[in-house]
Amino acid sequence: MAGASSGAAGSATAQEHWSSRWAFIMAAVGSAVGLGNLVRFPAEVGANGGGAFVIFYILCVVLIGLPVLLSETLIGRHGQSSAIESVKNVAAESGASRWWSLAAGVGMIAAFLILTYYSVLAGWIVYFIGIFGSDVAGAIGSGDIGGGALTGRSVEDVQAILPGLQADPATMLVMHAIFMAITVFIVARGVLGGIEKVAVYLMPAFFVLIAGITIYGAFTGAFSSALEFLFAFEPARLLDPTVQLSALGQALFSLSLGSALMITYGAYASRDTNLAKTSAQIASADTSVAIIAGLAIFPIMFAAMAPGVLDAVLAGEEEVQGGLGLLFINLPVAFQSMPAGSLIGFLFFIMVFFAALTSSVSLLEASVSWAKRRFGVSRLSTTLVLGGIAFLIGAWASFSFNSQAEFQPLDFLIFSGQPVFGIIDELTAKIMLPISALLVAIFVGWVADKRLIDSENGLDGGLHKFWRFLIRWLCPLVITAILVSGLFPGLLGQ
Ligand code: PFF
């Protein structure tokens, strides 16, 4: 390699590539499939009344997510650099202003901020792996692997595990540090030796685990209630703007869009990769995982619900507790009374860990790939410094669960009542990701040279015309709608 002999700066600028299309797909699916699918999606389904949300979500993935995903990967593949530099390169070739790179700049900062709290949450997963790991070891020791999990503890004790962890900053920080250190270790090893390797091993393992747990849930849990919950809907809710907007926000988050990640990963794609086909495969894998996650989680959770409560949930009279509570409180309680509960609980949290790790490496890589070029430093030093800063911000944010819960420095608009942790989440998901995705859509649809775009996108005929219509018109309009209503919820009249 020509750059190899020119020292640190040379190795900082050399562009690496995935070793195969399969590796690209695994890495991109690894980035897309994460806590967004396993925690946020079931929570949003629960909060937005089940089936209507699911249907609208799928529409958003196809009509908004997929065109933007293709746009991001093609900018990266053509630009052949970090996300910011790739946009600059495409803009320069198109005779447009370099300021369009703001599209990637906003996304890259969002990805970095998301990483800070993502690692705190993933640290909780590490903690639960420890709890279920020692439980399963005990069960094997006593020869009773077929029984429920955490049998020595009352339901109240199990419900108190998460609040107990949140009240114990030292343990929470250690878990956060462990997860961030693993992420840094992988990213520091590079695109081929780290990110790709982890993706090609962990993603197939993830798919085996999620398939196994879903089948287990189908046989032992309340599978038909879960199906009813996920797919039955009142058509009127399809028109509910809050349902629509939540579905749109979730689609961007889940496909890792508006966060510079897919531009970064697209730059590592080889010339002979058909980006349209690959983007469609990434989007369908991510969406299938979200739905399968629902089919894995809800049957297990519903099995532990009192029949009256379950009926009320299915009738839409009661909301399912979503989000963190669902994964860290309801599921552990459910595993207490399920057959082989400790083993399944252990495997469940290992599965979530794999998904979170392949996403967190992409969240860190977006800024590492830029900073190592910008400052001409080695990948190792860049990764250590950025991982360290992300750890410190995450550590600060994690105090939102205890001593700093009352510290709400931006008490206005969507930030009102939010401690630092919530502020980072709101700022990134409701403002920064949509802004970045919007700028990408306008840039690709209206600004960049059409011939350049057409030579990269792998589309022709009617499908090409349809994609152009979506990226020029539908995507900018709909994303603007999310942004405005996210910032000014009052406009929707709620
Ligand atoms: N797409 C991943 C998830 O759903 O968890 C990770 C992620 C990437 C989230 C980029 C948010 C984001 F902006």
Side-chain angles (χ1 to χ4, degrees):
M1 245 198 304
S5 56
S6 56
S11 63
T13 48
Q15 179 68 7
E16 299 170 271
H17 286 102
W18 309 115
S19 61
S20 62
R21 197 173 84 90
W22 172 249
F24 174 34
I25 294 179
M26 284 301 104
V29 170
S31 166
V33 170
L35 298 177
N37 304 62
L38 303 170
V39 182
R40 212 170 184 269
F41 181 79
E44 294 279 324
V45 174
N48 289 293
F53 177 87
V54 175
I55 290 183
F56 209 83
Y57 175 78
I58 293 172
L59 279 178
C60 290
V61 167
V62 175
L63 298 177
I64 311 288
L66 193 46
V68 173
L69 177 58
L70 175 55
S71 303
E72 294 202 356
T73 51
L74 79 78
I75 292 175
R77 213 245 315 256
H78 196 84
Q80 283 299 299
S81 189
S82 68
I84 292 183
E85 292 300 322
S86 292
V87 181
K88 268 191 202 161
N89 293 345
V90 173
E93 267 187 61
S94 310
S97 161
R98 52 204 277 277
W99 284 103
W100 282 102
S101 61
L102 258 177
V106 172
M108 188 186 81
I109 296 172
F112 187 74
L113 289 175
I114 289 171
L115 173 67
T116 66
Y117 76 79
Y118 212 83
S119 172
V120 174
L121 294 184
W124 299 358
I125 307 274
V126 174
Y127 185 73
F128 274 80
I129 289 178
I131 296 217
F132 276 90
S134 60
D135 196 55
V136 85
I140 292 172
S142 64
D144 180 27
I145 193 76
L150 309 168
T151 41
R153 308 193 194 200
S154 66
V155 170
E156 290 73 27
D157 273 354
V158 174
Q159 285 170 335
I161 297 176
L162 177 66
L165 176 62
Q166 290 172 337
D168 174 5
T171 310
M172 201 158 51
L173 287 187
V174 169
M175 298 298 142
H176 169 44
I178 292 174
F179 188 81
M180 190 64 88
I182 300 174
T183 304
V184 164
F185 178 75
I186 295 165
V187 174
R189 292 181 65 94
V191 176
L192 279 176
I195 301 173
E196 169 175 323
K197 215 176 227 142
V198 167
V200 295
Y201 284 111
L202 293 196
M203 286 322 285
F206 169 86
F207 281 111
V208 170
L209 285 173
I210 197 168
I213 293 172
T214 311
I215 294 170
Y216 165 88
F219 281 106
T220 56
F223 196 68
S224 58
S225 305
L227 276 181
E228 190 182 332
F229 178 68
L230 283 169
F231 297 113
F233 73 101
E234 316 131 55
R237 288 210 78 170
L238 271 180
L239 303 175
D240 179 344
T242 30
V243 171
Q244 298 175 349
L245 293 168
S246 313
L248 269 163
Q250 174 63 17
L252 287 185
F253 190 98
S254 188
L255 290 172
S256 303
L257 297 175
S259 54
L261 303 192
M262 290 300 179
I263 307 182
T264 308
Y265 274 19
Y268 304 139
S270 70
R271 282 245 50 93
D272 52 7
T273 302
N274 179 321
L275 292 180
K277 191 170 141 204
T278 311
S279 300
Q281 287 165 334
I282 297 166
S284 36
D286 184 65
T287 308
S288 315
V289 170
I291 290 172
I292 293 172
L295 290 177
I297 291 171
F298 286 114
I300 297 174
M301 203 182 105
F302 287 166
M305 250 180 198
V309 179
L310 179 56
D311 289 344
V313 165
L314 292 179
E317 289 153 11
E318 190 149 327
E319 257 189 20
V320 177
Q321 181 189 17
L324 305 173
L326 192 148
L327 208 67
F328 295 104
I329 296 177
N330 297 25
L331 272 186
V333 169
F335 285 132
Q336 275 196 295
S337 51
M338 307 280 290
S342 30
L343 178 64
I344 302 294
F346 177 65
L347 293 176
F348 181 87
F349 284 104
I350 292 274
M351 170 189 90
V352 182
F353 173 77
F354 286 176
L357 188 61
T358 48
S359 295
S360 66
V361 296
S362 71
L363 288 162
L364 181 55
E365 174 65 10
S367 44
V368 165
S369 102
W370 170 77
K372 75 183 169 66
R373 288 180 170 87
R374 174 72 182 74
F375 302 108
V377 273
S378 70
R379 171 175 279 275
L380 176 64
S381 335
T382 317
T383 312
L384 282 173
V385 170
L386 289 176
I389 299 172
F391 169 77
L392 291 177
I393 301 177
W396 179 46
S398 71
F399 286 100
S400 299
F401 294 102
N402 43 66
S403 58
Q404 305 237 328
E406 300 306 318
F407 178 59
Q408 297 162 4
L410 302 179
D411 203 8
F412 55 87
L413 287 178
I414 53 172
F415 306 119
S416 64
Q418 295 281 4
V420 174
F421 200 94
I423 290 176
I424 299 179
D425 183 24
E426 294 283 303
L427 175 70
T428 49
K430 290 196 176 152
I431 301 180
M432 298 177 80
L433 299 185
I435 287 183
S436 170
L438 174 64
L439 291 175
V440 164
I442 299 174
F443 179 67
V444 167
W446 296 90
V447 178
D449 182 356
K450 184 168 176 306
R451 269 168 315 174
L452 178 161
I453 298 293
D454 291 352
S455 70
E456 290 286 349
N457 66 14
L459 284 169
D460 43 37
L463 218 52
H464 180 245
K465 286 209 180 86
F466 187 48
W467 174 73
R468 255 192 105 64
F469 162 75
L470 294 176
I471 204 72
R472 280 166 79 88
W473 296 102
L474 196 76
C475 297
L477 288 175
V478 173
I479 297 170
T480 305
I482 316 180
L483 196 56
V484 172
S485 61
L487 282 176
F488 307 104
L491 285 185
L492 289 177
Q494 306 135 3

